[in-house]
């Protein structure tokens, strides 16, 4: 029998990406936090719990000693909707195996990895469940398995789910572990869970494997935010649920009172938070209960921070695909939901919410409070060439009728055991690969680019962009938040710092921006030429004729309104 008080435990975070749960840096998912809380609740002292991310292990091989020497090594990971990531690289199956081989103590693997593992982390693949040489695989909730395993003296556990009381306790007791994350404190965003499970049964989705929705009551989520903010977390995303609007209701219909308690409670315990975003809103909820949904969306837009995105799982605008895959929303219904979110959440700080949606010259230069995002999934049953045309037509209609989308996510299906898609597998996705590629390019060029210009016109200020990497003489960074815009700033700036920027130009899914405010008396040639209308000879003249007393003094003729983001510092300070 192993005494929990003497137990040393190492948690390794290989990252997760699930339909309604994200945990690739700068995000930290709920898994390591709940697991650490379950360990403490079972009697393991906090100081004996070590937490590493897989990137942390890659960066410093000495850390593998903690994997080797721990009495209990817990691996958390699994990608059920893999994408491309800037902030971290998820653990590949071979690395996970190496963890199991390295661990001298007991090894346990949990998280969405229980749904299956492909040959690599990629879409259009089939998966199967593997133990990757671990002693134990948690087929229920990993945090419950960890608690029971420690209680049993490392003998074993039943595969069970945790209950609401447990998760409320564990979420708070495990908050301390965030301090061991390499991104702590400034560049870390905590994913918050408000519910699991879904009332619907889309063919490809792993969320229904959690059953019907069960909600965490507002005080337990608010208590967790309180604990996390005590440990220095300032950025939060309410992303672990299938539908934020259904929160605290009967499973399908909205309950605005519960949403109000949740959002106002969070603002009360974390008044200095810098990011409060969400993920996942089901468009069918908005269409079925429009008035209650409008109220819920207003509550969210009042409490959140700008740039928030309500991701809609339209998946396909083709009725044939919709029918064959049990998708719950039609293109027409989704369009209606897009309209309603635009009307209630599409306002910008500094203007009246009733003006929404706003864009164009008169709109304040900040991102809108809450806009819809659209998820499209390819390779589903019944997919045909026409499916691609219908999806394009849907997106074009949203643009043409004057609404905004914050992002369009297009991916190919991954077929998991236990979902309806497992029979079809990756066959259709593979057959349509060429078509998929062509269409994706078309969406990027014809929709994403003009839409981005509508959402974030030149002069839009993006505060607190974290500078992450250099490429071809440009520094790239992002704000912390849900689906943040990729921002390219001319020149190679020191990485790891945070700056305010103003948008000057648009790519397909990224923007070019200059530091905000841009001082005409100090701006570099690269920064000046990034502004549309300023070529290298004008930029050269600007530099030669410095200093200026005012922007007007420079007499520049640009299509972009420079007064919104360009300034001249007092002459005595400029040099
Ligand atoms: S609505 Fe469909 S895709 Fe969304 S969580 Fe539920 S089952 Fe999954």
């Amino acid at each position: 029998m192993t005494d929990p008080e003497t137990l040393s435990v190492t948690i390794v975070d290989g990252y997760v990406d699930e339909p309604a749960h994200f945990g690739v840096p700068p995000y930290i998912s709920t898994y390591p936090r709940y697991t650490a809380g379950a360990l403490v609740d079972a009697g393991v002292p906090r100081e004996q719990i070590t937490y590493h991310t897989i990137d942390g292990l890659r960066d410093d091989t000495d850390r593998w000693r903690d994997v080797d020497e721990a009495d209990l090594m817990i691996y958390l990971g699994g990608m059920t909707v893999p994408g491309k990531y800037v902030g971290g690289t998820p653990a590949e199956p071979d690395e996970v195996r190496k963890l199991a081989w390295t661990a001298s103590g007991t090894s346990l693997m949990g998280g969405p990895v229980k749904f299956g593992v492909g040959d690599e982390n990629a879409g259009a693949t089939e998966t199967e469940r593997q133990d990757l040489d671990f002693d134990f695989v948690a087929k229920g909730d990993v945090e419950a398995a960890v608690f029971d395993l420690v209680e049993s003296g490392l003998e074993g556990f039943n595969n069970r789910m945790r209950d609401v009381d447990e998760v409320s306790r564990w979420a708070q007791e495990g908050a301390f572990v965030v301090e061991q994350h390499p991104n702590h404190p400034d560049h870390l965003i905590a994913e918050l869970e408000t519910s699991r499970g879904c009332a619907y049964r889309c063919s490809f989705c792993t969320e229904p494997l959690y059953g019907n929705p069960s909600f965490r009551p507002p005080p337990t989520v608010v208590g967790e935010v309180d604990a996390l903010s005590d440990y220095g977390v300032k950025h939060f995303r309410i992303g672990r649920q299938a539908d934020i609007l259904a929160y605290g209701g009967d499973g399908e219909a909205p309950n605005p009172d519960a949403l109000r308690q949740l959002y106002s409670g969070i603002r009360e315990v974390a008044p200095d938070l810098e990011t409060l975003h969400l993920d996942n809103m089901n468009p069918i909820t908005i269409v079925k209960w429009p008035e209650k949904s409008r109220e819920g969306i207003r509550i969210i837009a009042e409490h959140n921070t700008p740039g928030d995105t309500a991701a809609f799982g339209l998946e396909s605008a083709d009725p044939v695909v919709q029918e064959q895959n049990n998708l719950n929303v039609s293109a027409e219904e989704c369009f209606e939901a897009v309209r309603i979110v635009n009307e209630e959440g599409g306002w910008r700080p500094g203007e009246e919410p009733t003006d929404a949606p706003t864009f164009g010259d008169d709109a304040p230069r900040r991102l809108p409070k809450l806009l819809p995002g659209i998820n499209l999934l390819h390779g589903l049953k019944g997919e045909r060439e026409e499916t691609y045309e219908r999806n394009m037509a849907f997106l074009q209609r949203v643009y043409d009728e004057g609404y905004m989308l914050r992002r369009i996510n297009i991916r190919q299906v991954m077929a998991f055991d236990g979902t309806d898609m497992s029979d079809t597998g990756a066959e259709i996705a593979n057959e349509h690969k060429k078509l998929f590629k062509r269409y994706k390019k078309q969406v990027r060029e014809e929709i994403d680019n003009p839409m981005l210009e509508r959402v974030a016109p030149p002069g839009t200020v993006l505060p607190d962009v974290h500078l992450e990497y250099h490429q071809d003489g440009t520094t790239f960074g992002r704000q912390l938040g849900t689906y943040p815009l990729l921002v390219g700033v001319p020149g190679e700036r020191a990485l790891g710092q945070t700056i305010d920027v103003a948008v000057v130009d648009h790519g397909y899914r990224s923007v070019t921006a200059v530091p905000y405010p841009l001082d005409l008396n100090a701006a570099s040639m690269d920064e000046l030429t990034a502004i549309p209308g300023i070529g290298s000879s004008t930029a050269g003249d600007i530099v030669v004729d410095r200093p200026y007393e005012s922007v007007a003094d420079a007499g520049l003729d640009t299509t972009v309104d420079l007064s919104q983001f360009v300034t001249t510092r007092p002459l005595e300070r400029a040099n």
Side-chain angles (χ1 to χ4, degrees):
M1 182 81 188
T2 315
D3 180 0
E5 288 226 350
T6 65
L7 212 62
S8 65
V9 184
T10 296
I11 299 170
V12 176
D13 188 349
Y15 312 142
V16 299
D17 191 353
E18 298 180 83
H21 195 178
F22 188 56
V24 181
Y27 282 80
I28 179 167
S29 74
T30 64
Y31 292 107
R33 288 148 38 205
Y34 292 1
T35 299
L39 288 165
V40 171
D41 200 31
V44 180
R46 279 183 190 181
E47 53 284 2
Q48 280 158 227
I49 301 170
T50 305
Y51 167 60
H52 289 307
T53 62
I54 189 72
D55 284 309
L57 291 178
R58 291 179 188 127
D59 291 347
D60 182 355
T61 45
D62 282 353
R63 294 184 178 136
W64 281 84
R65 203 178 309 138
D66 297 327
V67 175
D68 174 10
E69 292 173 0
D71 299 315
L72 173 61
M73 191 278 291
I74 303 161
Y75 171 74
L76 304 168
M79 317 304 285
T80 59
V81 283
K84 286 204 178 99
Y85 311 98
V86 181
T89 307
E92 289 290 346
D94 282 348
E95 288 177 304
V96 184
R97 249 187 223 106
K98 187 178 159 198
L99 285 166
W101 295 341
T102 306
S104 309
T106 304
S107 60
L108 164 72
M109 173 167 85
V113 69
K114 70 186 177 192
F115 293 126
V117 181
D119 294 337
E120 53 174 346
N121 294 319
T125 53
E126 292 164 26
T127 67
E128 57 177 332
R129 186 179 284 171
Q130 294 180 19
D131 65 10
L132 296 171
D133 301 330
F134 275 69
D135 298 331
F136 295 104
V137 179
K139 300 191 185 78
D141 280 324
V142 62
E143 54 272 28
V146 163
F147 182 83
D148 295 350
L149 184 64
V150 173
E151 286 246 298
S152 75
L154 302 186
E155 295 296 319
F157 55 85
N158 291 322
N159 285 304
R160 68 174 178 97
M161 307 302 266
R162 35 77 171 174
D163 61 34
V164 169
D165 283 344
E166 285 176 326
V167 72
S168 305
R169 247 181 7 250
W170 297 344
Q172 293 192 30
E173 286 177 3
F176 74 94
V177 89
V178 297
E179 288 190 321
Q180 299 183 44
H181 194 288
N183 288 38
H184 181 272
D186 295 331
H187 195 206
L188 187 66
I189 180 163
E191 182 83 317
L192 298 172
E193 170 186 330
T194 66
S195 79
R196 299 197 305 180
C198 185
Y200 303 96
R201 298 288 179 265
C202 304
S203 70
F204 58 88
C205 184
T206 49
E207 195 57 26
L209 303 177
Y210 289 104
N212 285 327
S214 60
F215 301 102
R216 291 178 67 196
T220 92
V221 184
V222 171
E224 182 184 5
V225 170
D226 197 7
L228 287 165
S229 67
D230 283 349
Y231 285 102
V233 178
K234 290 202 180 74
H235 306 272
F236 300 91
R237 186 176 82 155
I238 305 172
R240 178 58 189 115
Q241 70 273 311
D243 179 13
I244 187 64
L245 276 184
Y247 176 67
D250 60 6
E252 293 181 61
N255 176 357
D257 289 340
L259 269 178
R260 191 174 289 109
Q261 279 183 48
L262 176 73
Y263 271 87
S264 62
I266 289 175
R267 280 293 193 168
E268 228 162 83
V269 297
D272 299 328
L273 66 77
E274 290 172 17
T275 306
L276 181 59
H277 280 175
L278 64 85
D279 194 20
N280 298 319
M281 188 180 278
N282 196 333
I284 201 67
T285 308
I286 303 176
V287 180
K288 280 195 193 161
W289 295 276
E291 286 318 310
K292 277 186 171 178
S293 295
R294 280 185 186 270
E295 192 181 342
I297 294 164
R298 280 197 294 272
I299 291 166
I300 294 169
E302 186 191 323
H303 292 91
N304 68 357
T305 53
D308 200 2
T309 310
F312 286 171
L314 168 62
E315 317 302 357
S316 180
D318 184 347
V320 171
V321 177
Q322 189 197 343
E323 208 253 304
Q324 288 195 28
N325 296 275
N326 211 17
L327 306 181
N328 60 47
V329 67
S330 69
E332 195 55 44
E333 288 165 333
C334 191
F335 183 82
E336 177 66 6
V338 164
R339 185 173 69 83
I340 289 177
V341 174
N342 268 264
E343 287 172 359
E344 301 297 345
W347 53 279
R348 301 170 193 252
E351 69 182 353
E352 287 301 314
T354 44
D355 291 344
T358 55
F359 50 86
D361 289 344
D362 297 335
R365 287 315 195 239
R366 292 294 302 278
L367 286 179
K369 289 300 290 285
L370 178 68
L371 290 179
I374 295 289
N375 297 338
L376 294 168
L377 186 56
H378 288 273
L380 290 171
K381 284 185 270 184
E383 181 173 289
R384 49 198 178 143
E385 208 160 334
E386 197 182 321
T387 308
Y388 292 81
E389 288 156 21
R390 283 179 178 263
N391 287 358
M392 262 312 285
F394 170 83
L395 296 171
Q396 192 65 54
R397 180 181 173 203
V398 171
Y399 184 80
D400 291 347
E401 296 205 16
Y403 298 111
M404 291 183 280
L405 294 176
R406 191 24 218 94
R407 45 78 89 168
I408 301 160
N409 182 30
I410 303 172
R411 64 185 182 92
Q412 285 193 297
V413 74
M414 216 178 168
F416 283 91
D417 270 355
T419 69
D420 276 1
M421 268 307 285
S422 62
D423 293 343
T424 312
E427 201 177 306
I428 300 173
N430 284 329
E431 261 171 37
H432 290 175
K433 262 194 170 151
K434 262 199 188 142
L435 196 58
F436 178 75
K437 228 175 143 186
R438 202 169 59 225
Y439 144 94
K440 207 167 161 180
K441 186 163 176 272
Q442 194 186 3
V443 173
R444 298 295 170 239
E445 289 172 3
E446 294 174 22
I447 309 289
D448 272 319
N449 180 266
M451 190 64 92
L452 195 50
E453 189 150 1
R454 182 177 281 181
V455 171
T460 299
V461 175
L462 306 176
D464 299 326
V465 172
H466 290 254
L467 302 182
E468 294 175 276
Y469 64 96
H470 294 143
Q471 195 181 313
D472 303 331
T474 299
T475 306
F476 287 91
R478 297 172 302 172
Q479 293 176 294
L480 277 179
T482 195
Y483 310 108
L485 286 172
L486 184 62
V487 180
V489 183
E492 295 206 346
R493 300 183 146 254
L495 301 182
Q497 57 165 336
T498 298
I499 62 168
D500 296 346
V501 302
V503 174
V504 289
D505 208 354
H506 304 82
Y508 300 144
R509 308 189 82 192
S510 62
V511 293
T512 303
V514 292
Y516 172 82
L518 187 72
D519 181 5
L520 213 52
N521 289 331
S524 69
M525 284 289 287
D526 283 345
E527 288 161 356
L528 292 168
T529 52
I531 300 170
I534 299 187
S536 49
S537 86
T538 310
D541 292 346
I542 292 173
V543 171
V544 170
D545 295 341
R546 280 170 180 167
Y548 305 95
E549 276 188 50
S550 68
V551 177
D553 196 19
L556 297 169
D557 181 24
T558 55
T559 46
V560 178
D561 180 2
L562 297 180
S563 67
Q564 285 167 329
F565 60 98
V566 178
T567 185
T568 48
R569 284 191 305 171
L571 296 182
E572 60 274 18
R573 284 173 52 211
N575 185 2

